[in-house]
Amino acid sequence: MRSLMVTSIGVTCAAALTLPLAAPALSAPVPHASSARPPSAAPQSPGAGPPAAPATPAAPAGSATPAGSAPTGSTPTDSRTATGAPADSGEPDDRSAGVAGSTQSLPLERLAASSDRSAAPVPGRGLDRRATRPFSLVGVVWDDAEAELHGTVQVRTRAAGGERWSDWQDVETHNDEHAADLGSDERASGAVRGSTAPLWVGASDGVEVRVHPEAADEEGRSISVRLPEGLRIELVDPGPDPATESAPAGQAGAVPGGRTSATPASLPVRPGPPPAGTAAVVPEALTAASAAASAVNAEFAPLGASLIPAMTQAETAEAAAEAAEEAVGAKPYIGPRPGIITRKGWGADEKLRERNFAYTKTVKAAFVHHSATGNNYTCKQAPSVLRSIYRYHVKSSGWRDFGYNFAVDKCGNIYEGRAGGVSRAVLGAHTLGFNTNTMGIAVLGSYSSTNPPAAAVTAVAKLTAWKLGLFGRNPKGKVTLVSGGSNKYAKGKKVKMNVISGHRDGFATECPGARLYKKLGTARTSSAHLQGR
């Protein structure tokens, strides 16, 4: 089904708002080979209520120590000046006034012969050790989104302010399965590029990269292949965390001081627009874009809120029954609404994304992913990781917004992902071939050989019990989806899947990692139990 493109609100409020700030212009594009998508018309924004007391994890951006950052036994040479600052090498980036964070985009060079015996003998591309401006996340992109990178990508980084370099770290090269569907407006925008998965490395100011082509024939013998054109390393600085108070890990709905800010049960919990006639004052700090991203959650939290507070199951069920006439007198199978940290709460820069929101008709299933960004982050750093992935998805990969509908960190905190409203059927770019009528949940980390924390699995169960319940879905049930085209199912093929599926169920991929995939049965059972089934 072709996605439905609508403005950032999609409804006309009886009381119009007067915004204190004009709609901001989009930030300057990254100087990639592909041009940036032209901005859409600025939306109007309905309001909701007074600002909420902010409560979300907060910490200095990128304060992690890169994995394997023990000394390598030698002091590397690099391009530091006498003052210890990186020399100006003319590296392009997208720093601009009013935009949080930045991206350095460096073209990869032909690799010289290496004395490192672990390096592949086939010529590749990369960068020798060099100093850079600060960054916390890396990824490699190339010009043609349809071209595959057959080979290995490895990086090592220097911890910011020091001389210690990490060990070589592998970057997941197969990332095309996390993308907008073929033929969709987002995929056909002209801005999309090929890209690896992003890797979180923590606060760093130096990088070394090597990309080696590697492929095998039908008999498993190594053969020479060409690397995609326009290979670049993207070094992402997430910018500072928003100035907000902290909530206990895994309790995003809590408010400091032991108070709660539960939404009245009379407010409808429904997959639709906020009630017409709702007027409010826009907080002065909000721009038009950030007000629009917040207003689509107006039935749950005040405009500009950093979190959507949790509700009890009784409150959630009562509100769901009031929202759907057909549910009156019947028991709705819906789990209690979990606390959800909003885009405002994790510091999303709304000037980066495309202005309009995209929706599908319903939510039939949830696909669980891992972000493949590594496990070397703390829960206080999760907002920085999200801002980095968001910037990488939009500025580096050319997507319209953050790819996943929701994210979950290792402490069980739940985050709003792609903008458009947490209760609505927002079209994502998470499962190639199956983005329509589904939602994507990314568990931050890599879970191929590491067990996911129990708190993260529990958070997936809580989120799906509520969100799938809004659309009448049984977490332990099956559903038939129509493929939009993937390497596993041809376009148009009807596929029967679990209502809670792993990414690999729709695409031949390792995602969400073998260890997380094994926990999906537990998540289904817990989710159904929370719904009262």
Side-chain angles (χ1 to χ4, degrees):
M1 182 192 76
R2 188 176 182 80
S3 64
L4 174 64
M5 301 296 294
V6 298
T7 63
S8 294
I9 301 306
V11 294
T12 302
C13 290
L17 290 175
T18 301
L19 295 175
L21 298 176
L26 291 179
S27 58
V30 185
H32 287 284
S34 300
S35 60
R37 181 188 296 105
S40 303
Q44 292 181 323
S45 304
T56 176
S63 57
T65 301
S69 57
T72 58
S74 62
T75 301
T77 59
D78 55 40
S79 57
R80 283 186 184 274
T81 63
T83 63
D88 185 1
S89 59
E91 300 159 353
D93 71 88
D94 69 343
R95 292 178 297 174
S96 60
V99 178
S102 64
T103 304
Q104 300 170 70
S105 186
L106 312 179
L108 299 188
E109 304 163 353
R110 184 177 295 275
L111 286 175
S114 173
S115 60
D116 186 349
R117 294 185 179 181
S118 66
V122 183
R125 302 190 74 83
L127 289 177
D128 292 331
R129 290 186 181 185
R130 64 180 62 193
T132 66
R133 289 181 291 276
F135 64 93
S136 295
L137 179 140
V138 303
V140 170
V141 302
W142 53 93
D143 295 341
D144 185 1
E146 309 307 319
E148 293 187 39
L149 194 163
H150 295 286
T152 60
V153 176
Q154 294 181 310
V155 300
R156 54 183 168 188
T157 55
R158 183 179 59 197
E163 294 297 332
R164 292 185 176 184
W165 285 76
S166 72
D167 295 330
W168 285 107
Q169 300 184 73
D170 293 322
V171 179
E172 174 57 61
T173 59
H174 301 293
N175 192 52
D176 58 325
E177 65 266 28
H178 302 81
D181 288 343
L182 300 174
S184 65
D185 291 340
E186 184 171 359
R187 187 66 175 240
S189 68
V192 179
R193 307 175 188 91
S195 61
T196 67
L199 177 68
W200 175 261
V201 294
S204 306
D205 62 7
V207 68
E208 183 176 9
V209 190
R210 61 188 186 192
V211 180
H212 290 293
E214 183 179 301
D217 60 18
E218 295 180 354
E219 297 181 1
R221 295 172 299 190
S222 180
I223 58 176
S224 179
V225 294
R226 289 179 60 87
L227 291 172
E229 296 295 326
L231 286 169
R232 308 178 72 88
I233 181 76
E234 304 285 287
L235 309 178
V236 181
D237 170 20
D241 279 313
T244 56
E245 300 177 65
S246 297
Q251 298 179 26
V255 176
R259 297 178 292 109
T260 60
S261 55
T263 303
S266 59
L267 287 181
V269 180
R270 63 173 180 268
T278 303
V281 177
V282 179
E284 187 175 352
L286 292 183
T287 64
S290 57
S294 181
V296 286
N297 293 317
E299 64 263 48
F300 305 124
L303 197 65
S306 294
L307 67 92
I308 294 169
M311 287 177 65
T312 66
Q313 185 170 21
E315 291 171 332
T316 305
E318 180 182 349
E322 293 176 359
E325 292 182 3
E326 64 273 16
V328 175
K331 178 184 177 181
Y333 288 103
I334 181 170
R337 188 181 74 206
I340 302 173
I341 298 171
T342 65
R343 288 170 64 90
K344 177 71 162 53
W346 57 263
D349 187 337
E350 302 298 348
K351 295 187 293 294
L352 294 180
R353 65 172 173 82
E354 188 172 294
R355 299 294 181 84
N356 293 337
F357 304 143
Y359 299 102
T360 57
K361 286 184 177 180
T362 186
V363 176
K364 293 183 176 181
F367 283 99
V368 178
H369 306 253
H370 65 176
S371 63
T373 47
N375 302 316
N376 298 300
Y377 73 94
T378 66
C379 293
K380 287 186 177 181
Q381 293 171 325
S384 293
V385 177
L386 288 171
R387 291 196 304 279
S388 298
I389 296 173
Y390 172 42
R391 174 170 278 275
Y392 184 75
H393 282 177
V394 177
K395 302 295 289 185
S396 301
S397 302
W399 299 359
R400 69 190 311 275
D401 193 355
F402 190 83
Y404 308 101
N405 298 102
F406 296 93
V408 170
D409 68 24
K410 62 175 67 174
C411 290
N413 292 302
I414 300 171
Y415 302 84
E416 178 185 15
R418 179 162 287 207
V422 295
S423 67
R424 307 193 199 181
V426 178
L427 177 66
H430 49 84
T431 307
L432 183 65
F434 294 97
N435 289 304
T436 297
N437 296 333
T438 69
M439 70 176 188
I441 304 168
V443 180
L444 298 182
S446 301
Y447 299 105
S448 295
S449 57
T450 301
N451 288 326
V457 178
T458 298
V460 170
K462 290 179 178 179
L463 176 59
T464 52
W466 173 69
K467 182 64 180 280
L468 293 174
L470 292 177
F471 294 86
R473 310 300 174 187
N474 182 349
K476 294 181 69 175
K478 301 282 188 178
V479 66
T480 298
L481 301 175
V482 179
S483 173
S486 73
N487 68 352
K488 193 170 183 177
Y489 299 108
K491 183 176 181 179
K493 183 175 179 59
K494 293 182 179 181
V495 185
K496 192 172 185 178
M497 293 187 184
N498 290 310
V499 169
I500 298 179
S501 288
H503 187 182
R504 63 173 63 183
D505 294 323
F507 197 99
T509 175
E510 170 64 19
C511 185
R515 300 290 182 90
L516 178 55
Y517 188 76
K518 288 180 180 179
K519 296 294 184 180
L520 294 188
T522 300
R524 294 184 193 108
T525 300
S526 298
S527 181
H529 178 73
L530 288 168
Q531 285 190 349
R533 296 181 185 271

